[in-house]
Amino acid sequence: MKKIEAIVRPSKLDEIKDALGKFGIHGMTVTEVIGCGLQKGKKEVYRGTEYTIDLLPKIKIEIVIRDKWVDEVIRILINTARTGEIGDGKIFVYPVENAVRIRTGESGEAAI
Amino acid sequence: MKTWKLVLFLTLLLLLTLPGMAWAADEPVVDTGDTAFVIISSALVMLMTPGLALFYGGMVRRKNVLSTIMQSFIIIAVISVQWVLIGYTLAFGPDKGHLIGSLSYLGFKGVGMAPNADYAGTVPHQIFAMFQLMFAIITPALITGSIAERMRFPAFLAFTVLWATFIYDPLAHWVWGVNGWIRNLGALDFAGGTVVHISSGVSGLIAALVLGKRRGYGKEPMLPHQLPMTVLGAGILWFGWFGFNAGSALTANGLATNAFVVTNTSAAAAALSWTIAEWLHHGKPTVLGAASGAVAGLVAITPASGFVTPMASVVIGLVGGVICYLGVSVLKSKLGYDDSLDAFGCHGIGGTWGAIATGLFATRAINPLGADGLFYGNPGLMKAQLISILATYAFAAIGTFVILKVVNAFTRIRATADEELTGLDLTMHGEEAYRDLVMSASMTRSTTRERIAGSTSVSAQTP
């Protein structure tokens, strides 16, 4: 099993969710996050004083899938989340040792 | 025949009014229109202080919004009692040495339903006193903009009572009281440019300097947490200001409507000029700028509102918006003081401009009881205006400094680093304005009690 963690633009969430759903992935954890990377911060002005906001809002999507789906899921994420501009985000892949469904006690791939 | 009957009838009617006319010559008569107008105006001015609470509340960080709102709100309660007990008589009691009112009206004794011809000959004395109360309330509330996010509540309460008694009440007497020395100079202040705005702005600046900067000021951003709240507050202030300025005519007449016109015009002109100045300077016309500009324009027109023409109010507003903008954006950052929400920038600077503008633009064509300003060939008024400005600066600055030092000798005025970090809402009042969804679900009653009891160590208890 692998965990795919994708940091994406907030505006892309619905598109990604739909594309993953078509592929058959319905389980995910979505978190609002803030962070910084290559994208420049935004400028705000309050009573004539400028502030640069370095940490920008992003969406973090976490999904756990079978190993064999990893390449296809990454392809779907890139196709839907990409705009070509700086700030499209990143995808991280982690190995997952085990998964347990709390309701039934099932574990392993059966639980995801 | 018919005409004869009519004449007889009218003559009888006239005779009926004779006793009333005779009585009228002896003492002033309550005018129902004027009384209704001043009652409504008093209520309008009262609403300004909750409006100010929202205006300021939106500009602080989310951990301090309740404490900021509370400072304005509790002042309504504190000063309402102080005014009845002693404040009114110190400000408007019969003059003592041109400096203070005597204690004749202690506890509102003798403040009844008959008019006080010294101040408002056509409305009951009581409603004049209540109208003035609303001004006494909002003035210390304005100061809270300078001390936001770092003053301890007990010290704040003590400061408020002392400031109202030893600064506001005497100053109101000097400027508005019959035989007050500034009034005798001939200085004009229709609705409180010096008494309300300069005094609160300067006191705020001194309080900000005595308290020191908020921790992290200049290093970390301290941004407004809820600007829609601030804009709503500015709207309520603008609305209430009609009572403040037009109501200061104390009669429902043409002078009141002229004050209404110039008040609205100046607010609008200043909202435009502040917004445009910021637009040119930083590239965006901000909403906070529009709201702040409106307030700056309202401040600037306040002393002039009973003496100037609508065209003069356009100039007063346009200039007021720009100089207040420069005050908060350039002056404040150059000098480096932490006037958190710009009480000095808007009220001190705007009030000073308004007092000067009154000396320039006042005309007896608007108010025969006023005076002509410099632009109408009378430089004498400007001299009186400048003396009244300097006296207010000196008195408010020294008085505020002394009061803060005295209060600090009894109870610490500045919040600790821990209290400031956690936020004054939780550490001073044991409440939070906005609760995190997940966190609130895990809170039980006993932990609430622990939180309140150990208010300063709250951050350590949070899981």
Side-chain angles (χ1 to χ4, degrees):
Chain A
M1 289 177 290
K2 290 281 188 294
K3 182 169 101 166
I4 311 276
E5 186 180 289
I7 314 287
V8 299
R9 293 181 190 275
S11 59
K12 289 290 185 180
L13 174 62
D14 284 338
E15 214 179 314
I16 292 167
K17 207 154 72 51
D18 288 349
L20 289 173
K22 284 203 186 94
F23 182 67
I25 295 172
H26 298 288
M28 64 184 71
T29 304
V30 178
T31 322
E32 287 186 44
V33 293
I34 52 172
C36 52
L38 294 176
Q39 193 179 2
K40 271 199 278 182
K42 55 186 197 280
K43 189 184 87 174
E44 295 186 5
V45 183
Y46 296 98
R47 282 192 168 163
T49 304
E50 287 184 14
Y51 299 88
T52 305
I53 311 298
D54 294 322
L55 294 171
L56 299 170
K58 296 285 172 189
I59 290 289
K60 181 168 82 175
I61 301 171
E62 291 164 286
I63 49 182
V64 176
I65 54 173
R66 290 161 202 260
D67 291 340
K68 60 180 177 185
W69 292 350
V70 169
D71 290 344
E72 183 60 15
V73 165
I74 288 175
R75 197 184 57 77
I76 292 171
L77 286 171
I78 288 174
N79 283 345
T80 48
R82 174 185 283 166
T83 67
E85 303 291 318
I86 289 172
D88 277 348
K90 284 201 173 61
I91 299 169
F92 304 101
V93 182
Y94 307 87
V96 174
E97 202 163 295
N98 198 3
V100 178
R101 193 186 300 278
I102 291 174
R103 175 169 54 88
T104 58
E106 290 167 283
S107 64
E109 289 191 350
I112 62 175
Chain B
M1 190 66 181
K2 217 172 171 188
T3 322
W4 180 83
K5 269 188 179 165
L6 191 66
V7 168
L8 184 71
F9 178 67
L10 285 175
T11 313
L12 278 171
L13 264 184
L14 209 66
L15 280 173
L16 277 175
T17 62
L18 267 182
M21 288 162 77
W23 181 74
D26 289 331
E27 51 183 302
V29 182
V30 168
D31 180 286
T32 53
D34 289 349
T35 304
F37 174 64
V38 178
I39 290 175
I40 299 290
S41 292
S42 304
L44 280 172
V45 182
M46 183 274 172
L47 188 62
M48 288 172 71
T49 301
L52 184 74
L54 296 178
F55 183 67
Y56 282 165
M59 277 191 271
V60 295
R61 290 166 290 177
R62 52 183 286 157
K63 62 184 179 180
N64 293 320
V65 53
L66 285 177
S67 61
T68 301
I69 286 176
M70 179 64 159
Q71 287 180 341
S72 286
F73 198 83
I74 204 70
I75 280 178
I76 302 175
V78 170
I79 303 300
S80 290
V81 175
Q82 183 265 2
W83 192 247
V84 169
L85 294 180
I86 190 160
Y88 179 68
T89 194
L90 290 179
F92 292 97
D95 181 73
K96 285 268 181 204
H98 310 301
L99 291 175
I100 192 84
S102 78
L103 296 181
S104 313
Y105 301 143
L106 201 68
F108 262 32
K109 186 161 68 77
V111 180
M113 288 173 241
N116 177 349
D118 280 348
Y119 296 107
T122 58
V123 304
H125 193 177
Q126 281 181 338
I127 196 61
F128 171 76
M130 292 308 280
F131 182 67
Q132 290 299 336
L133 159 65
M134 303 313 170
F135 289 66
I137 288 170
I138 195 165
T139 307
L142 292 170
I143 301 174
T144 66
S146 294
I147 58 160
E149 304 196 292
R150 60 194 185 284
M151 190 166 185
R152 284 182 69 247
F153 190 69
F156 161 77
L157 280 182
F159 171 76
T160 297
V161 173
L162 294 172
W163 192 89
T165 308
F166 294 107
I167 308 292
Y168 183 84
D169 296 340
L171 194 58
H173 185 80
W174 296 358
V175 176
W176 288 328
V178 169
N179 270 327
W181 74 269
I182 290 181
R183 178 172 167 154
N184 285 352
L185 275 180
L188 298 180
D189 183 359
F190 193 68
T194 48
V195 180
V196 174
H197 296 292
I198 295 181
S199 74
S200 61
V202 170
S203 297
L205 178 63
I206 298 302
L209 292 171
V210 172
L211 277 169
K213 298 172 194 177
R214 288 168 289 175
R215 269 162 238 278
Y217 178 73
K219 284 177 232 117
E220 54 190 78
M222 296 176 173
L223 306 183
H225 89 284
Q226 237 278 26
L227 281 181
M229 184 190 279
T230 296
V231 178
L232 175 63
I236 293 173
L237 282 169
W238 192 332
F239 175 75
W241 228 292
F242 293 126
F244 201 89
N245 287 359
S248 287
L250 294 165
T251 45
N253 61 6
L255 186 61
T257 64
N258 189 73
F260 197 110
V261 172
V262 297
T263 299
N264 194 61
T265 308
S266 176
L272 289 174
S273 70
W274 181 310
T275 307
I276 291 167
E278 198 168 38
W279 200 347
L280 295 173
H281 199 176
H282 289 286
K284 290 271 167 49
T286 69
V287 182
L288 179 59
S292 309
V295 172
L298 291 161
V299 170
I301 198 64
T302 294
S305 56
F307 309 107
V308 301
T309 64
M311 270 316 292
S313 73
V314 174
V315 179
I316 291 172
L318 288 175
V319 174
V322 172
I323 60 169
C324 288
Y325 170 71
L326 293 175
V328 307
S329 64
V330 180
L331 185 72
K332 184 166 83 160
S333 55
K334 281 253 162 69
L335 298 181
Y337 54 87
D338 182 11
D339 178 8
S340 324
L341 314 177
D342 299 313
F344 177 72
C346 290
H347 299 275
I349 294 175
T352 306
W353 160 240
I356 292 169
T358 308
L360 296 173
F361 293 103
T363 167
R364 296 170 72 116
I366 294 294
N367 187 345
L369 298 175
D372 282 333
L374 191 62
F375 292 163
Y376 294 87
N378 174 23
L381 177 62
M382 184 58 90
K383 192 177 153 213
Q385 295 300 100
L386 291 176
I387 293 171
S388 75
I389 293 169
L390 290 176
T392 309
Y393 266 76
F395 183 55
I398 295 166
T400 301
F401 182 81
V402 171
I403 290 173
L404 282 171
K405 290 295 175 190
V406 168
V407 171
N408 198 36
F410 290 92
T411 178
R412 200 163 35 80
I413 56 175
R414 178 74 192 244
T416 62
D418 201 17
E419 289 166 341
E420 218 177 304
L421 199 68
T422 308
L424 302 188
D425 290 4
L426 210 48
T427 55
M428 296 296 146
H429 306 288
E431 293 168 296
E432 284 174 281
Y434 315 101
R435 205 174 295 284
D436 214 17
L437 211 63
V438 177
M439 292 293 291
S440 68
S442 67
M443 199 172 87
T444 61
R445 283 190 64 174
S446 64
T447 57
T448 315
R449 272 195 221 106
E450 279 167 28
R451 280 184 164 206
I452 293 164
S455 55
T456 51
S457 53
V458 158
S459 50
Q461 286 178 14
T462 312

